Amino acid sequence: RLGAPVFESPESWTAVATVPVGVAVVAAGPPRMVEGYLMVPIVPSGAVELTLFRELSADGDANVPTEQELRQTLLNISRVPKELAEAVGGGGGEADPPIGRKSRNKRRGGSPR
């Protein structure tokens, strides 16, 4: 568990800090796709890859999925919903394999966690 890099902005590839595992951040705006990565600006400055974080509930606890939810997600991970496939001009069916996380590919030189 290394934590998550904080970048200058959602479009930047320059890491300026690291958020340790278990530390909460506050979004400063809506998430957006940047070069295939879901990035969100954070308070007071910078941006993080949203997929490296979990949303906190009203009581401050992270929403942790059940084992059954994880299994179902893994079974459906390569399926593209018909509506999404049509929206991007595809015919549906199997999705292309994921390219990888921004933080692991270009930002950390591709080294595994």
Side-chain angles (χ1 to χ4, degrees), residues 46-89:
V48 293
E49 185 180 351
L50 187 57
T51 58
L52 299 177
F53 293 84
R54 290 186 288 217
E55 186 174 3
L56 292 178
S57 64
D59 61 6
D61 290 332
N63 294 325
V64 179
T66 65
E67 181 180 353
Q68 184 173 352
E69 290 170 329
L70 287 173
R71 287 180 186 274
Q72 189 63 40
T73 299
L74 290 172
L75 290 172
N76 293 323
I77 204 159
S78 67
R79 296 184 188 149
V80 176
K82 182 180 177 183
E83 298 81 16
L84 178 60
E86 290 172 354
V88 296

PDB file of all heavy atoms in Angstrom, residues 46-89:
ATOM      1  N   GLY A  46      -4.538  20.555  -6.445  1.00  0.00           N
ATOM      2  CA  GLY A  46      -4.091  19.297  -7.014  1.00  0.00           C
ATOM      3  C   GLY A  46      -5.244  18.452  -7.510  1.00  0.00           C
ATOM      4  O   GLY A  46      -6.406  18.875  -7.512  1.00  0.00           O
ATOM      5  N   ALA A  47      -4.907  17.233  -7.929  1.00  0.00           N
ATOM      6  CA  ALA A  47      -5.903  16.296  -8.441  1.00  0.00           C
ATOM      7  C   ALA A  47      -5.413  14.881  -8.187  1.00  0.00           C
ATOM      8  O   ALA A  47      -4.214  14.631  -8.105  1.00  0.00           O
ATOM      9  CB  ALA A  47      -6.125  16.517  -9.938  1.00  0.00           C
ATOM     10  N   VAL A  48      -6.359  13.960  -8.066  1.00  0.00           N
ATOM     11  CA  VAL A  48      -6.034  12.549  -7.855  1.00  0.00           C
ATOM     12  C   VAL A  48      -6.845  11.699  -8.821  1.00  0.00           C
ATOM     13  O   VAL A  48      -7.854  12.135  -9.365  1.00  0.00           O
ATOM     14  CB  VAL A  48      -6.335  12.105  -6.398  1.00  0.00           C
ATOM     15  CG1 VAL A  48      -5.407  12.807  -5.418  1.00  0.00           C
ATOM     16  CG2 VAL A  48      -7.786  12.318  -6.039  1.00  0.00           C
ATOM     17  N   GLU A  49      -6.377  10.468  -9.006  1.00  0.00           N
ATOM     18  CA  GLU A  49      -7.124   9.504  -9.816  1.00  0.00           C
ATOM     19  C   GLU A  49      -8.234   8.948  -8.936  1.00  0.00           C
ATOM     20  O   GLU A  49      -7.974   8.313  -7.905  1.00  0.00           O
ATOM     21  CB  GLU A  49      -6.199   8.391 -10.304  1.00  0.00           C
ATOM     22  CG  GLU A  49      -6.905   7.444 -11.229  1.00  0.00           C
ATOM     23  CD  GLU A  49      -5.993   6.332 -11.723  1.00  0.00           C
ATOM     24  OE1 GLU A  49      -4.779   6.383 -11.481  1.00  0.00           O
ATOM     25  OE2 GLU A  49      -6.522   5.402 -12.345  1.00  0.00           O
ATOM     26  N   LEU A  50      -9.486   9.199  -9.321  1.00  0.00           N
ATOM     27  CA  LEU A  50     -10.630   8.857  -8.486  1.00  0.00           C
ATOM     28  C   LEU A  50     -10.735   7.370  -8.193  1.00  0.00           C
ATOM     29  O   LEU A  50     -11.164   6.983  -7.108  1.00  0.00           O
ATOM     30  CB  LEU A  50     -11.926   9.350  -9.151  1.00  0.00           C
ATOM     31  CG  LEU A  50     -13.200   9.215  -8.333  1.00  0.00           C
ATOM     32  CD1 LEU A  50     -13.083   9.946  -7.000  1.00  0.00           C
ATOM     33  CD2 LEU A  50     -14.382   9.723  -9.120  1.00  0.00           C
ATOM     34  N   THR A  51     -10.308   6.527  -9.113  1.00  0.00           N
ATOM     35  CA  THR A  51     -10.431   5.083  -8.910  1.00  0.00           C
ATOM     36  C   THR A  51      -9.560   4.558  -7.772  1.00  0.00           C
ATOM     37  O   THR A  51      -9.720   3.416  -7.352  1.00  0.00           O
ATOM     38  CB  THR A  51     -10.101   4.314 -10.198  1.00  0.00           C
ATOM     39  OG1 THR A  51      -8.783   4.654 -10.609  1.00  0.00           O
ATOM     40  CG2 THR A  51     -11.094   4.644 -11.303  1.00  0.00           C
ATOM     41  N   LEU A  52      -8.663   5.376  -7.251  1.00  0.00           N
ATOM     42  CA  LEU A  52      -7.818   4.962  -6.131  1.00  0.00           C
ATOM     43  C   LEU A  52      -8.457   5.257  -4.775  1.00  0.00           C
ATOM     44  O   LEU A  52      -7.862   4.980  -3.737  1.00  0.00           O
ATOM     45  CB  LEU A  52      -6.453   5.657  -6.213  1.00  0.00           C
ATOM     46  CG  LEU A  52      -5.631   5.363  -7.461  1.00  0.00           C
ATOM     47  CD1 LEU A  52      -4.344   6.178  -7.449  1.00  0.00           C
ATOM     48  CD2 LEU A  52      -5.335   3.882  -7.578  1.00  0.00           C
ATOM     49  N   PHE A  53      -9.683   5.827  -4.787  1.00  0.00           N
ATOM     50  CA  PHE A  53     -10.357   6.240  -3.567  1.00  0.00           C
ATOM     51  C   PHE A  53     -11.740   5.616  -3.458  1.00  0.00           C
ATOM     52  O   PHE A  53     -12.309   5.172  -4.447  1.00  0.00           O
ATOM     53  CB  PHE A  53     -10.494   7.775  -3.523  1.00  0.00           C
ATOM     54  CG  PHE A  53      -9.174   8.466  -3.384  1.00  0.00           C
ATOM     55  CD1 PHE A  53      -8.396   8.728  -4.497  1.00  0.00           C
ATOM     56  CD2 PHE A  53      -8.702   8.847  -2.137  1.00  0.00           C
ATOM     57  CE1 PHE A  53      -7.166   9.343  -4.374  1.00  0.00           C
ATOM     58  CE2 PHE A  53      -7.474   9.459  -2.004  1.00  0.00           C
ATOM     59  CZ  PHE A  53      -6.706   9.713  -3.132  1.00  0.00           C
ATOM     60  N   ARG A  54     -12.261   5.597  -2.212  1.00  0.00           N
ATOM     61  CA  ARG A  54     -13.632   5.166  -1.942  1.00  0.00           C
ATOM     62  C   ARG A  54     -14.384   6.327  -1.323  1.00  0.00           C
ATOM     63  O   ARG A  54     -13.818   7.111  -0.554  1.00  0.00           O
ATOM     64  CB  ARG A  54     -13.664   4.001  -0.963  1.00  0.00           C
ATOM     65  CG  ARG A  54     -13.145   2.720  -1.538  1.00  0.00           C
ATOM     66  CD  ARG A  54     -13.353   1.624  -0.545  1.00  0.00           C
ATOM     67  NE  ARG A  54     -12.411   1.797   0.566  1.00  0.00           N
ATOM     68  CZ  ARG A  54     -11.820   0.808   1.202  1.00  0.00           C
ATOM     69  NH1 ARG A  54     -12.086  -0.413   0.888  1.00  0.00           N
ATOM     70  NH2 ARG A  54     -10.981   1.048   2.178  1.00  0.00           N
ATOM     71  N   GLU A  55     -15.683   6.412  -1.626  1.00  0.00           N
ATOM     72  CA  GLU A  55     -16.519   7.459  -1.061  1.00  0.00           C
ATOM     73  C   GLU A  55     -16.831   7.137   0.403  1.00  0.00           C
ATOM     74  O   GLU A  55     -17.117   5.995   0.753  1.00  0.00           O
ATOM     75  CB  GLU A  55     -17.823   7.564  -1.851  1.00  0.00           C
ATOM     76  CG  GLU A  55     -18.689   8.709  -1.439  1.00  0.00           C
ATOM     77  CD  GLU A  55     -19.898   8.876  -2.330  1.00  0.00           C
ATOM     78  OE1 GLU A  55     -20.093   8.064  -3.238  1.00  0.00           O
ATOM     79  OE2 GLU A  55     -20.646   9.827  -2.092  1.00  0.00           O
ATOM     80  N   LEU A  56     -16.768   8.174   1.251  1.00  0.00           N
ATOM     81  CA  LEU A  56     -17.105   7.992   2.657  1.00  0.00           C
ATOM     82  C   LEU A  56     -18.608   8.147   2.836  1.00  0.00           C
ATOM     83  O   LEU A  56     -19.246   8.967   2.183  1.00  0.00           O
ATOM     84  CB  LEU A  56     -16.390   9.022   3.530  1.00  0.00           C
ATOM     85  CG  LEU A  56     -14.882   8.885   3.638  1.00  0.00           C
ATOM     86  CD1 LEU A  56     -14.314  10.011   4.495  1.00  0.00           C
ATOM     87  CD2 LEU A  56     -14.507   7.546   4.240  1.00  0.00           C
ATOM     88  N   SER A  57     -19.183   7.389   3.763  1.00  0.00           N
ATOM     89  CA  SER A  57     -20.604   7.513   4.079  1.00  0.00           C
ATOM     90  C   SER A  57     -20.794   8.690   5.033  1.00  0.00           C
ATOM     91  O   SER A  57     -19.834   9.305   5.495  1.00  0.00           O
ATOM     92  CB  SER A  57     -21.117   6.214   4.702  1.00  0.00           C
ATOM     93  OG  SER A  57     -20.457   5.987   5.932  1.00  0.00           O
ATOM     94  N   ALA A  58     -22.049   8.994   5.368  1.00  0.00           N
ATOM     95  CA  ALA A  58     -22.360  10.122   6.246  1.00  0.00           C
ATOM     96  C   ALA A  58     -21.709   9.973   7.621  1.00  0.00           C
ATOM     97  O   ALA A  58     -21.369  10.958   8.264  1.00  0.00           O
ATOM     98  CB  ALA A  58     -23.867  10.268   6.383  1.00  0.00           C
ATOM     99  N   ASP A  59     -21.508   8.732   8.080  1.00  0.00           N
ATOM    100  CA  ASP A  59     -20.890   8.526   9.396  1.00  0.00           C
ATOM    101  C   ASP A  59     -19.361   8.495   9.332  1.00  0.00           C
ATOM    102  O   ASP A  59     -18.695   8.253  10.329  1.00  0.00           O
ATOM    103  CB  ASP A  59     -21.423   7.257  10.063  1.00  0.00           C
ATOM    104  CG  ASP A  59     -21.129   5.992   9.272  1.00  0.00           C
ATOM    105  OD1 ASP A  59     -20.408   6.054   8.253  1.00  0.00           O
ATOM    106  OD2 ASP A  59     -21.616   4.925   9.683  1.00  0.00           O
ATOM    107  N   GLY A  60     -18.790   8.720   8.139  1.00  0.00           N
ATOM    108  CA  GLY A  60     -17.341   8.791   7.995  1.00  0.00           C
ATOM    109  C   GLY A  60     -16.665   7.480   7.675  1.00  0.00           C
ATOM    110  O   GLY A  60     -15.454   7.427   7.566  1.00  0.00           O
ATOM    111  N   ASP A  61     -17.443   6.408   7.549  1.00  0.00           N
ATOM    112  CA  ASP A  61     -16.866   5.109   7.207  1.00  0.00           C
ATOM    113  C   ASP A  61     -16.869   4.913   5.695  1.00  0.00           C
ATOM    114  O   ASP A  61     -17.773   5.362   5.002  1.00  0.00           O
ATOM    115  CB  ASP A  61     -17.670   3.967   7.844  1.00  0.00           C
ATOM    116  CG  ASP A  61     -17.503   3.927   9.358  1.00  0.00           C
ATOM    117  OD1 ASP A  61     -16.437   4.360   9.839  1.00  0.00           O
ATOM    118  OD2 ASP A  61     -18.432   3.475  10.034  1.00  0.00           O
ATOM    119  N   ALA A  62     -15.848   4.229   5.200  1.00  0.00           N
ATOM    120  CA  ALA A  62     -15.786   3.920   3.773  1.00  0.00           C
ATOM    121  C   ALA A  62     -16.818   2.834   3.469  1.00  0.00           C
ATOM    122  O   ALA A  62     -17.031   1.927   4.256  1.00  0.00           O
ATOM    123  CB  ALA A  62     -14.401   3.432   3.389  1.00  0.00           C
ATOM    124  N   ASN A  63     -17.488   2.980   2.331  1.00  0.00           N
ATOM    125  CA  ASN A  63     -18.436   1.960   1.896  1.00  0.00           C
ATOM    126  C   ASN A  63     -17.655   0.804   1.309  1.00  0.00           C
ATOM    127  O   ASN A  63     -17.138   0.902   0.210  1.00  0.00           O
ATOM    128  CB  ASN A  63     -19.403   2.533   0.856  1.00  0.00           C
ATOM    129  CG  ASN A  63     -20.299   3.597   1.443  1.00  0.00           C
ATOM    130  OD1 ASN A  63     -20.694   3.497   2.594  1.00  0.00           O
ATOM    131  ND2 ASN A  63     -20.604   4.614   0.662  1.00  0.00           N
ATOM    132  N   VAL A  64     -17.558  -0.279   2.040  1.00  0.00           N
ATOM    133  CA  VAL A  64     -16.806  -1.437   1.596  1.00  0.00           C
ATOM    134  C   VAL A  64     -17.782  -2.441   0.994  1.00  0.00           C
ATOM    135  O   VAL A  64     -18.759  -2.815   1.639  1.00  0.00           O
ATOM    136  CB  VAL A  64     -16.027  -2.081   2.768  1.00  0.00           C
ATOM    137  CG1 VAL A  64     -15.271  -3.304   2.312  1.00  0.00           C
ATOM    138  CG2 VAL A  64     -15.087  -1.059   3.383  1.00  0.00           C
ATOM    139  N   PRO A  65     -17.543  -2.875  -0.245  1.00  0.00           N
ATOM    140  CA  PRO A  65     -18.465  -3.824  -0.871  1.00  0.00           C
ATOM    141  C   PRO A  65     -18.403  -5.197  -0.205  1.00  0.00           C
ATOM    142  O   PRO A  65     -17.374  -5.583   0.363  1.00  0.00           O
ATOM    143  CB  PRO A  65     -17.978  -3.896  -2.321  1.00  0.00           C
ATOM    144  CG  PRO A  65     -16.560  -3.464  -2.269  1.00  0.00           C
ATOM    145  CD  PRO A  65     -16.444  -2.508  -1.118  1.00  0.00           C
ATOM    146  N   THR A  66     -19.510  -5.924  -0.312  1.00  0.00           N
ATOM    147  CA  THR A  66     -19.543  -7.283   0.216  1.00  0.00           C
ATOM    148  C   THR A  66     -18.799  -8.208  -0.734  1.00  0.00           C
ATOM    149  O   THR A  66     -18.513  -7.854  -1.885  1.00  0.00           O
ATOM    150  CB  THR A  66     -20.989  -7.780   0.344  1.00  0.00           C
ATOM    151  OG1 THR A  66     -21.554  -7.874  -0.969  1.00  0.00           O
ATOM    152  CG2 THR A  66     -21.826  -6.861   1.218  1.00  0.00           C
ATOM    153  N   GLU A  67     -18.507  -9.410  -0.270  1.00  0.00           N
ATOM    154  CA  GLU A  67     -17.844 -10.387  -1.125  1.00  0.00           C
ATOM    155  C   GLU A  67     -18.693 -10.684  -2.354  1.00  0.00           C
ATOM    156  O   GLU A  67     -18.165 -10.791  -3.465  1.00  0.00           O
ATOM    157  CB  GLU A  67     -17.575 -11.678  -0.351  1.00  0.00           C
ATOM    158  CG  GLU A  67     -16.863 -12.729  -1.200  1.00  0.00           C
ATOM    159  CD  GLU A  67     -16.591 -14.015  -0.441  1.00  0.00           C
ATOM    160  OE1 GLU A  67     -16.823 -14.076   0.773  1.00  0.00           O
ATOM    161  OE2 GLU A  67     -16.123 -14.961  -1.089  1.00  0.00           O
ATOM    162  N   GLN A  68     -20.010 -10.809  -2.181  1.00  0.00           N
ATOM    163  CA  GLN A  68     -20.888 -11.091  -3.313  1.00  0.00           C
ATOM    164  C   GLN A  68     -20.860  -9.946  -4.332  1.00  0.00           C
ATOM    165  O   GLN A  68     -20.831 -10.184  -5.539  1.00  0.00           O
ATOM    166  CB  GLN A  68     -22.318 -11.339  -2.840  1.00  0.00           C
ATOM    167  CG  GLN A  68     -23.246 -11.729  -3.982  1.00  0.00           C
ATOM    168  CD  GLN A  68     -24.620 -12.150  -3.499  1.00  0.00           C
ATOM    169  OE1 GLN A  68     -24.852 -12.292  -2.311  1.00  0.00           O
ATOM    170  NE2 GLN A  68     -25.520 -12.353  -4.429  1.00  0.00           N
ATOM    171  N   GLU A  69     -20.849  -8.701  -3.868  1.00  0.00           N
ATOM    172  CA  GLU A  69     -20.771  -7.557  -4.776  1.00  0.00           C
ATOM    173  C   GLU A  69     -19.464  -7.570  -5.558  1.00  0.00           C
ATOM    174  O   GLU A  69     -19.439  -7.288  -6.759  1.00  0.00           O
ATOM    175  CB  GLU A  69     -20.913  -6.249  -4.003  1.00  0.00           C
ATOM    176  CG  GLU A  69     -22.297  -6.011  -3.447  1.00  0.00           C
ATOM    177  CD  GLU A  69     -22.362  -4.835  -2.491  1.00  0.00           C
ATOM    178  OE1 GLU A  69     -21.364  -4.544  -1.796  1.00  0.00           O
ATOM    179  OE2 GLU A  69     -23.431  -4.216  -2.436  1.00  0.00           O
ATOM    180  N   LEU A  70     -18.369  -7.899  -4.894  1.00  0.00           N
ATOM    181  CA  LEU A  70     -17.072  -7.984  -5.574  1.00  0.00           C
ATOM    182  C   LEU A  70     -17.066  -9.084  -6.630  1.00  0.00           C
ATOM    183  O   LEU A  70     -16.584  -8.887  -7.751  1.00  0.00           O
ATOM    184  CB  LEU A  70     -15.947  -8.224  -4.574  1.00  0.00           C
ATOM    185  CG  LEU A  70     -15.573  -7.048  -3.698  1.00  0.00           C
ATOM    186  CD1 LEU A  70     -14.574  -7.476  -2.641  1.00  0.00           C
ATOM    187  CD2 LEU A  70     -15.025  -5.906  -4.510  1.00  0.00           C
ATOM    188  N   ARG A  71     -17.604 -10.241  -6.273  1.00  0.00           N
ATOM    189  CA  ARG A  71     -17.659 -11.352  -7.236  1.00  0.00           C
ATOM    190  C   ARG A  71     -18.484 -10.973  -8.458  1.00  0.00           C
ATOM    191  O   ARG A  71     -18.085 -11.234  -9.588  1.00  0.00           O
ATOM    192  CB  ARG A  71     -18.232 -12.608  -6.580  1.00  0.00           C
ATOM    193  CG  ARG A  71     -17.287 -13.276  -5.608  1.00  0.00           C
ATOM    194  CD  ARG A  71     -17.924 -14.523  -4.998  1.00  0.00           C
ATOM    195  NE  ARG A  71     -17.106 -15.093  -3.964  1.00  0.00           N
ATOM    196  CZ  ARG A  71     -16.118 -15.950  -4.187  1.00  0.00           C
ATOM    197  NH1 ARG A  71     -15.847 -16.339  -5.409  1.00  0.00           N
ATOM    198  NH2 ARG A  71     -15.410 -16.425  -3.191  1.00  0.00           N
ATOM    199  N   GLN A  72     -19.646 -10.353  -8.248  1.00  0.00           N
ATOM    200  CA  GLN A  72     -20.505  -9.949  -9.361  1.00  0.00           C
ATOM    201  C   GLN A  72     -19.807  -8.917 -10.243  1.00  0.00           C
ATOM    202  O   GLN A  72     -19.868  -8.978 -11.467  1.00  0.00           O
ATOM    203  CB  GLN A  72     -21.837  -9.396  -8.843  1.00  0.00           C
ATOM    204  CG  GLN A  72     -22.851  -9.170  -9.929  1.00  0.00           C
ATOM    205  CD  GLN A  72     -23.253 -10.451 -10.637  1.00  0.00           C
ATOM    206  OE1 GLN A  72     -23.426 -11.495 -10.013  1.00  0.00           O
ATOM    207  NE2 GLN A  72     -23.394 -10.394 -11.936  1.00  0.00           N
ATOM    208  N   THR A  73     -19.114  -7.979  -9.633  1.00  0.00           N
ATOM    209  CA  THR A  73     -18.377  -6.970 -10.391  1.00  0.00           C
ATOM    210  C   THR A  73     -17.288  -7.613 -11.237  1.00  0.00           C
ATOM    211  O   THR A  73     -17.118  -7.279 -12.413  1.00  0.00           O
ATOM    212  CB  THR A  73     -17.766  -5.928  -9.443  1.00  0.00           C
ATOM    213  OG1 THR A  73     -18.821  -5.293  -8.729  1.00  0.00           O
ATOM    214  CG2 THR A  73     -16.955  -4.892 -10.205  1.00  0.00           C
ATOM    215  N   LEU A  74     -16.560  -8.555 -10.661  1.00  0.00           N
ATOM    216  CA  LEU A  74     -15.501  -9.235 -11.407  1.00  0.00           C
ATOM    217  C   LEU A  74     -16.063 -10.038 -12.578  1.00  0.00           C
ATOM    218  O   LEU A  74     -15.460 -10.086 -13.652  1.00  0.00           O
ATOM    219  CB  LEU A  74     -14.691 -10.148 -10.484  1.00  0.00           C
ATOM    220  CG  LEU A  74     -13.806  -9.416  -9.476  1.00  0.00           C
ATOM    221  CD1 LEU A  74     -13.203 -10.405  -8.489  1.00  0.00           C
ATOM    222  CD2 LEU A  74     -12.731  -8.618 -10.178  1.00  0.00           C
ATOM    223  N   LEU A  75     -17.217 -10.638 -12.388  1.00  0.00           N
ATOM    224  CA  LEU A  75     -17.842 -11.394 -13.475  1.00  0.00           C
ATOM    225  C   LEU A  75     -18.293 -10.481 -14.613  1.00  0.00           C
ATOM    226  O   LEU A  75     -18.289 -10.874 -15.775  1.00  0.00           O
ATOM    227  CB  LEU A  75     -19.043 -12.197 -12.955  1.00  0.00           C
ATOM    228  CG  LEU A  75     -18.696 -13.373 -12.051  1.00  0.00           C
ATOM    229  CD1 LEU A  75     -19.969 -13.958 -11.443  1.00  0.00           C
ATOM    230  CD2 LEU A  75     -17.936 -14.439 -12.817  1.00  0.00           C
ATOM    231  N   ASN A  76     -18.672  -9.248 -14.287  1.00  0.00           N
ATOM    232  CA  ASN A  76     -19.206  -8.323 -15.285  1.00  0.00           C
ATOM    233  C   ASN A  76     -18.198  -7.296 -15.780  1.00  0.00           C
ATOM    234  O   ASN A  76     -18.539  -6.463 -16.610  1.00  0.00           O
ATOM    235  CB  ASN A  76     -20.415  -7.576 -14.703  1.00  0.00           C
ATOM    236  CG  ASN A  76     -21.572  -8.488 -14.451  1.00  0.00           C
ATOM    237  OD1 ASN A  76     -21.821  -9.419 -15.214  1.00  0.00           O
ATOM    238  ND2 ASN A  76     -22.284  -8.250 -13.363  1.00  0.00           N
ATOM    239  N   ILE A  77     -16.973  -7.368 -15.322  1.00  0.00           N
ATOM    240  CA  ILE A  77     -16.003  -6.308 -15.601  1.00  0.00           C
ATOM    241  C   ILE A  77     -15.688  -6.128 -17.087  1.00  0.00           C
ATOM    242  O   ILE A  77     -15.437  -5.028 -17.542  1.00  0.00           O
ATOM    243  CB  ILE A  77     -14.718  -6.501 -14.776  1.00  0.00           C
ATOM    244  CG1 ILE A  77     -14.010  -5.173 -14.611  1.00  0.00           C
ATOM    245  CG2 ILE A  77     -13.796  -7.533 -15.404  1.00  0.00           C
ATOM    246  CD1 ILE A  77     -13.071  -5.148 -13.446  1.00  0.00           C
ATOM    247  N   SER A  78     -15.725  -7.180 -17.853  1.00  0.00           N
ATOM    248  CA  SER A  78     -15.378  -7.046 -19.267  1.00  0.00           C
ATOM    249  C   SER A  78     -16.593  -6.822 -20.158  1.00  0.00           C
ATOM    250  O   SER A  78     -16.451  -6.665 -21.359  1.00  0.00           O
ATOM    251  CB  SER A  78     -14.618  -8.284 -19.746  1.00  0.00           C
ATOM    252  OG  SER A  78     -15.473  -9.412 -19.720  1.00  0.00           O
ATOM    253  N   ARG A  79     -17.769  -6.768 -19.572  1.00  0.00           N
ATOM    254  CA  ARG A  79     -18.979  -6.531 -20.352  1.00  0.00           C
ATOM    255  C   ARG A  79     -19.255  -5.050 -20.464  1.00  0.00           C
ATOM    256  O   ARG A  79     -19.137  -4.302 -19.507  1.00  0.00           O
ATOM    257  CB  ARG A  79     -20.177  -7.220 -19.703  1.00  0.00           C
ATOM    258  CG  ARG A  79     -20.028  -8.715 -19.691  1.00  0.00           C
ATOM    259  CD  ARG A  79     -21.270  -9.340 -19.136  1.00  0.00           C
ATOM    260  NE  ARG A  79     -21.022 -10.766 -18.951  1.00  0.00           N
ATOM    261  CZ  ARG A  79     -21.575 -11.495 -18.028  1.00  0.00           C
ATOM    262  NH1 ARG A  79     -22.431 -10.958 -17.189  1.00  0.00           N
ATOM    263  NH2 ARG A  79     -21.301 -12.772 -17.924  1.00  0.00           N
ATOM    264  N   VAL A  80     -19.655  -4.624 -21.651  1.00  0.00           N
ATOM    265  CA  VAL A  80     -20.011  -3.237 -21.880  1.00  0.00           C
ATOM    266  C   VAL A  80     -21.528  -3.167 -21.994  1.00  0.00           C
ATOM    267  O   VAL A  80     -22.115  -3.864 -22.816  1.00  0.00           O
ATOM    268  CB  VAL A  80     -19.365  -2.697 -23.176  1.00  0.00           C
ATOM    269  CG1 VAL A  80     -19.817  -1.284 -23.450  1.00  0.00           C
ATOM    270  CG2 VAL A  80     -17.858  -2.768 -23.081  1.00  0.00           C
ATOM    271  N   PRO A  81     -22.183  -2.327 -21.166  1.00  0.00           N
ATOM    272  CA  PRO A  81     -23.628  -2.196 -21.297  1.00  0.00           C
ATOM    273  C   PRO A  81     -24.013  -1.749 -22.697  1.00  0.00           C
ATOM    274  O   PRO A  81     -23.301  -0.956 -23.323  1.00  0.00           O
ATOM    275  CB  PRO A  81     -23.996  -1.126 -20.267  1.00  0.00           C
ATOM    276  CG  PRO A  81     -22.850  -1.110 -19.302  1.00  0.00           C
ATOM    277  CD  PRO A  81     -21.644  -1.512 -20.101  1.00  0.00           C
ATOM    278  N   LYS A  82     -25.117  -2.272 -23.205  1.00  0.00           N
ATOM    279  CA  LYS A  82     -25.576  -1.977 -24.561  1.00  0.00           C
ATOM    280  C   LYS A  82     -25.688  -0.470 -24.794  1.00  0.00           C
ATOM    281  O   LYS A  82     -25.272   0.035 -25.828  1.00  0.00           O
ATOM    282  CB  LYS A  82     -26.924  -2.654 -24.801  1.00  0.00           C
ATOM    283  CG  LYS A  82     -27.472  -2.446 -26.183  1.00  0.00           C
ATOM    284  CD  LYS A  82     -28.805  -3.155 -26.349  1.00  0.00           C
ATOM    285  CE  LYS A  82     -29.389  -2.875 -27.721  1.00  0.00           C
ATOM    286  NZ  LYS A  82     -30.703  -3.493 -27.875  1.00  0.00           N
ATOM    287  N   GLU A  83     -26.245   0.262 -23.812  1.00  0.00           N
ATOM    288  CA  GLU A  83     -26.427   1.711 -23.964  1.00  0.00           C
ATOM    289  C   GLU A  83     -25.086   2.426 -24.122  1.00  0.00           C
ATOM    290  O   GLU A  83     -24.950   3.329 -24.927  1.00  0.00           O
ATOM    291  CB  GLU A  83     -27.178   2.285 -22.758  1.00  0.00           C
ATOM    292  CG  GLU A  83     -28.569   1.746 -22.576  1.00  0.00           C
ATOM    293  CD  GLU A  83     -28.612   0.383 -21.872  1.00  0.00           C
ATOM    294  OE1 GLU A  83     -27.602  -0.024 -21.249  1.00  0.00           O
ATOM    295  OE2 GLU A  83     -29.659  -0.280 -21.969  1.00  0.00           O
ATOM    296  N   LEU A  84     -24.086   2.001 -23.360  1.00  0.00           N
ATOM    297  CA  LEU A  84     -22.764   2.622 -23.450  1.00  0.00           C
ATOM    298  C   LEU A  84     -22.113   2.309 -24.788  1.00  0.00           C
ATOM    299  O   LEU A  84     -21.542   3.185 -25.431  1.00  0.00           O
ATOM    300  CB  LEU A  84     -21.871   2.160 -22.303  1.00  0.00           C
ATOM    301  CG  LEU A  84     -20.441   2.699 -22.294  1.00  0.00           C
ATOM    302  CD1 LEU A  84     -20.452   4.224 -22.219  1.00  0.00           C
ATOM    303  CD2 LEU A  84     -19.665   2.127 -21.143  1.00  0.00           C
ATOM    304  N   ALA A  85     -22.204   1.061 -25.224  1.00  0.00           N
ATOM    305  CA  ALA A  85     -21.609   0.669 -26.495  1.00  0.00           C
ATOM    306  C   ALA A  85     -22.231   1.455 -27.646  1.00  0.00           C
ATOM    307  O   ALA A  85     -21.531   1.920 -28.548  1.00  0.00           O
ATOM    308  CB  ALA A  85     -21.787  -0.830 -26.714  1.00  0.00           C
ATOM    309  N   GLU A  86     -23.540   1.637 -27.609  1.00  0.00           N
ATOM    310  CA  GLU A  86     -24.216   2.403 -28.658  1.00  0.00           C
ATOM    311  C   GLU A  86     -23.838   3.876 -28.597  1.00  0.00           C
ATOM    312  O   GLU A  86     -23.688   4.531 -29.616  1.00  0.00           O
ATOM    313  CB  GLU A  86     -25.725   2.224 -28.532  1.00  0.00           C
ATOM    314  CG  GLU A  86     -26.176   0.823 -28.898  1.00  0.00           C
ATOM    315  CD  GLU A  86     -27.647   0.567 -28.585  1.00  0.00           C
ATOM    316  OE1 GLU A  86     -28.304   1.454 -27.977  1.00  0.00           O
ATOM    317  OE2 GLU A  86     -28.127  -0.513 -28.948  1.00  0.00           O
ATOM    318  N   ALA A  87     -23.665   4.402 -27.380  1.00  0.00           N
ATOM    319  CA  ALA A  87     -23.330   5.815 -27.211  1.00  0.00           C
ATOM    320  C   ALA A  87     -21.963   6.151 -27.785  1.00  0.00           C
ATOM    321  O   ALA A  87     -21.744   7.236 -28.294  1.00  0.00           O
ATOM    322  CB  ALA A  87     -23.387   6.205 -25.733  1.00  0.00           C
ATOM    323  N   VAL A  88     -21.017   5.206 -27.713  1.00  0.00           N
ATOM    324  CA  VAL A  88     -19.678   5.462 -28.234  1.00  0.00           C
ATOM    325  C   VAL A  88     -19.490   4.911 -29.644  1.00  0.00           C
ATOM    326  O   VAL A  88     -18.391   4.897 -30.157  1.00  0.00           O
ATOM    327  CB  VAL A  88     -18.580   4.920 -27.293  1.00  0.00           C
ATOM    328  CG1 VAL A  88     -18.619   5.636 -25.966  1.00  0.00           C
ATOM    329  CG2 VAL A  88     -18.691   3.432 -27.107  1.00  0.00           C
ATOM    330  N   GLY A  89     -20.567   4.407 -30.219  1.00  0.00           N
ATOM    331  CA  GLY A  89     -20.507   3.961 -31.607  1.00  0.00           C
ATOM    332  C   GLY A  89     -20.112   2.524 -31.805  1.00  0.00           C
ATOM    333  O   GLY A  89     -19.871   2.086 -32.919  1.00  0.00           O
TER     334      GLY A  89
END
